[in-house]
Structure formats: structure tokens, C-alpha cells
Amino acid sequence: MRPLAMGRVYQLIEPGPVVLLATSRRGRPNVMTMSWHMMVEFTPPRLACVVSDRNHSFAALRATRECVVAVPPAAMARKVVAIGNCSGRDTDKFARFGLSTRPAREVAPPLIEDCFANLECRVVDTRLVNAHGLFVLEVLRAWIDPARRDAKTLHHQGWGRFAVDGRVLRLASGKA
Amino acid sequence: MRPLAMGRVYQLIEPGPVVLLATSRRGRPNVMTMSWHMMVEFTPPRLACVVSDRNHSFAALRATRECVVAVPPAAMARKVVAIGNCSGRDTDKFARFGLSTRPAREVAPPLIEDCFANLECRVVDTRLVNAHGLFVLEVLRAWIDPARRDAKTLHHQGWGRFAVDGRVLRLASGKA
């Protein structure tokens, strides 16, 4: 994986792909599936996500204030759903799903090599955590696999139904 | 357009489609293109969006605390980009782009009939507006055109490049 320019991070998150959220607490990494996220700022890239306090990842994210947001290719769909259908409370998901990891540079949670992009993030605003489970994250480092830069992603439409990226339109736009 | 059950709203927003945001201030409606949004709660459906204070819609949204979030079909792509590339400061976008509207029930901004789904929303949390331009919205009423319920949507990848929804995967999931 190669470094991705900070100004390009929004191109990964803005289209609304299903992502994986990796956390780590007391030396134990965990990972969940997530589609409730959005961009908040271009540079430094900031994003927001909602993690329910019913998710095992919630306490780790709130306590450690760091995570990795990883973007899986559409080919990983079955594994992505399975990761979302069990809990880190009783499952080592990295072992169970045979995920390949490598250490991140700035945060304790690992990068996920099965994913074509990984964002090392720090929590920078927790004011809406109690009311809405809403965390604002700042991306510290971004990584992309250049061989999979154009990987198709998944968009969750509810109850295990996903649209995969289809044809690409290129229209003249004066704006990012 | 028919009422859409509140519990199904997340199926529209979670996949990350490009949407239109309609506001209305002093009797003048306006509309902008937006991709920085996410779900926050299933029921009552709440979503969050980021509107920059550089957008003409920002002041209207902050002052009136209401809006319509409308989901355009992929066939509307050129118009969606054009709406994003001009400003309500000097343009009546509804006239310029020939958008068809009808009155909403609960809010002043209009529903957009060109779009296959419309969400009437009220701003319910402004605590992150100053820091991040982040508004939390609650959906008061949701509308869908039953004839276009499965319309394909647009996912913005930056600089006018969009992925259109492609093939659909249906995988067993125990969760919404």
C-alpha cells in the first residue's frame, strides 16, 4: 500500500461505500462493518461516523479515540456481511475471517490488507457521541493499493441488499 | 408520490447517493447538490449533513431549520451537476433547470418531483454547525414515487466522476 494524498481522501468516502472500522483496546483489535459515515472537511480530511453504543466497537472508539477506516472491494461482500453479523464480544474477527493486517503508523488498530484503501484516524470531536453516537474523525494517514485504485465498492440498501458500482459517468464540473 | 414508511428511509440514504437539498427563505426556494450526508438513527429517521458556510443554502438552513432532501435518479446526472455548479445567490435554479415542484406538508421548501424520493426534514441539532457545518436532521415525512422505487442513483467520486448503481447483491443478513 502506498500513501494517498490527503486531498484525495474524500474521493473514497463521499461516494458512500460500505467500510470496515477497526479499533483496538487493551491489545485486542476488533473490526465492524459500517455504512453510516460521511465527509466533513477536505483538508485536513475529516469524516463523521455513527457507531451505536450497542456495538462492541463503541467503547473502544470512545476510550482510545482512534481507529482505521478501511474500504473493501465489492469482491469481499460476503466477508463484509459476515463481519457485520457477529460481535467482537465473543469473536476474534481477524482470526475467524482470515483478515490480513499490517501495523498502522499513527494508531494502534491495524490496517486491513484485504481492503484497497485504509485511513488512520483520530477522534477530534465527541460532542455528539452521547446524543447520536456521532464521532468526528480526522485522517492522519491514508493508504491505497495502487493496483486496486479503481476497485468497485458496495452500497448497502438494507437487509443485505447491496448495489455494486456500475458504469462511470464523467461530467464537466467546476468543483471537487 | 406516496408516503414511505419511516423505517425504510435509511434504505435511501445509507447507500450514499448524491442528493439535492432544497431550502426556502423569505419565500424564495433554493436547491443545492450534496454528497456529504449519512444516517444517524433508524426511527425516527435522523440524518446528518454538512453544508459549508460558503454555500448560499447555509444561511437559509440555519435560519429556517428546515429542508427537503430529494434523491435524483441517475438519468438526472447532468442536471444534478449543473445545479451544483451555480449559486442561488444569483440564480433561480428551479426556473433555470425547469424543476417540477409540489408543496411539502410540514416544511416550506418544496418537494422536487424530478426526484424519485423526497424527505421533509427539520434541523434538530446545531451543536456542530459552527465547527463543522454539520446539521442533524429529523425526517418528518417521506415520499416515494412507487413507479421509480428501484431507480439507480449516483455516487460522486470527485470532479464530476460518478459511479452509477450497478448489479445488486442479495446476501443473508441478520441486521438492517
Side-chain angles (χ1 to χ4, degrees), chain A residues 35-108:
Chain A
S35 282
W36 290 15
H37 56 73
M38 66 176 176
M39 288 306 298
V40 169
E41 182 57 85
F42 287 106
T43 45
R46 292 203 188 103
L47 47 134
C49 66
V50 172
V51 178
S52 164
D53 59 11
R54 296 183 297 278
N55 288 119
H56 188 60
S57 303
F58 177 85
L61 184 58
R62 186 162 62 171
T64 67
R65 301 178 67 104
E66 54 185 36
C67 61
V68 166
V69 173
V71 188
M76 220 177 129
R78 288 183 181 281
K79 201 170 279 194
V80 166
V81 170
I83 289 167
N85 281 333
C86 62
S87 172
R89 265 179 209 90
D90 49 30
T91 307
D92 175 347
K93 300 196 200 184
F94 290 93
R96 177 163 169 185
F97 299 109
L99 298 174
S100 295
T101 62
R102 69 167 70 179
R105 288 277 185 88
E106 312 274 353
V107 299

Side-chain angles (χ1 to χ4, degrees), chain B residues 78-105:
Chain B
R78 287 182 182 282
K79 202 171 278 195
V80 166
V81 171
I83 289 167
N85 280 332
C86 62
S87 173
R89 264 180 209 91
D90 49 28
T91 307
D92 175 347
K93 299 195 201 184
F94 290 93
R96 176 164 170 183
F97 298 109
L99 298 174
S100 295
T101 63
R102 69 166 69 177
R105 288 279 185 86

Side-chain angles (χ1 to χ4, degrees), chain B residues 46-115:
Chain B
R46 291 201 189 103
L47 47 134
C49 67
V50 171
V51 178
S52 164
D53 59 10
R54 296 182 297 278
N55 287 119
H56 189 60
S57 303
F58 177 85
L61 184 58
R62 187 163 61 172
T64 67
R65 299 178 68 105
E66 54 185 36
C67 60
V68 167
V69 174
V71 189
M76 219 179 131
R78 287 182 182 282
K79 202 171 278 195
V80 166
V81 171
I83 289 167
N85 280 332
C86 62
S87 173
R89 264 180 209 91
D90 49 28
T91 307
D92 175 347
K93 299 195 201 184
F94 290 93
R96 176 164 170 183
F97 298 109
L99 298 174
S100 295
T101 63
R102 69 166 69 177
R105 288 279 185 86
E106 312 275 353
V107 299
L111 308 181
I112 301 173
E113 292 186 307
D114 311 73
C115 293

Side-chain angles (χ1 to χ4, degrees), chain A residues 14 36 156 160 162 164 166 169, chain B residues 14 36 156 162 164 166 169 171:
Chain A
E14 180 169 323
W36 290 15
H156 189 226
F162 298 86
V164 178
L169 302 181
Chain B
E14 180 170 321
W36 290 15
H156 189 226
F162 298 86
V164 178
L169 302 180
L171 300 173

Side-chain angles (χ1 to χ4, degrees), chain A residues 10-17 35-42 46 48-50 54-55 74-75 77-78 81 84-86 124-125 127-128 131-132 134-136 150-151 153-176, chain B residues 10-17 35-42 46 48-50 54-55 74-75 77-78 81 84-86 124-125 127-128 131-132 134-136 150-151 153-176:
Chain A
Y10 82 96
Q11 297 183 278
L12 293 168
I13 299 301
E14 180 169 323
S35 282
W36 290 15
H37 56 73
M38 66 176 176
M39 288 306 298
V40 169
E41 182 57 85
F42 287 106
R46 292 203 188 103
C49 66
V50 172
R54 296 183 297 278
N55 288 119
R78 288 183 181 281
V81 170
N85 281 333
C86 62
V124 293
D125 198 323
R127 280 177 281 177
L128 296 194
H132 307 290
L134 189 156
F135 296 83
V136 180
D150 288 322
T153 63
L154 297 162
H155 303 272
H156 189 226
Q157 300 177 330
W159 297 103
R161 177 184 153 126
F162 298 86
V164 178
D165 289 331
R167 69 197 169 93
V168 169
L169 302 181
R170 293 166 201 271
L171 300 173
S173 173
K175 291 184 180 177
Chain B
Y10 82 95
Q11 296 183 278
L12 293 169
I13 298 301
E14 180 170 321
S35 283
W36 290 15
H37 55 73
M38 66 176 176
M39 288 306 297
V40 168
E41 183 56 88
F42 287 107
R46 291 201 189 103
C49 67
V50 171
R54 296 182 297 278
N55 287 119
R78 287 182 182 282
V81 171
N85 280 332
C86 62
V124 293
D125 198 323
R127 280 178 280 176
L128 296 195
H132 306 292
L134 189 156
F135 296 82
V136 180
D150 288 323
T153 62
L154 297 162
H155 303 273
H156 189 226
Q157 300 178 330
W159 297 103
R161 180 184 151 126
F162 298 86
V164 178
D165 288 333
R167 68 199 172 91
V168 170
L169 302 180
R170 294 165 199 273
L171 300 173
S173 174
K175 291 185 182 178

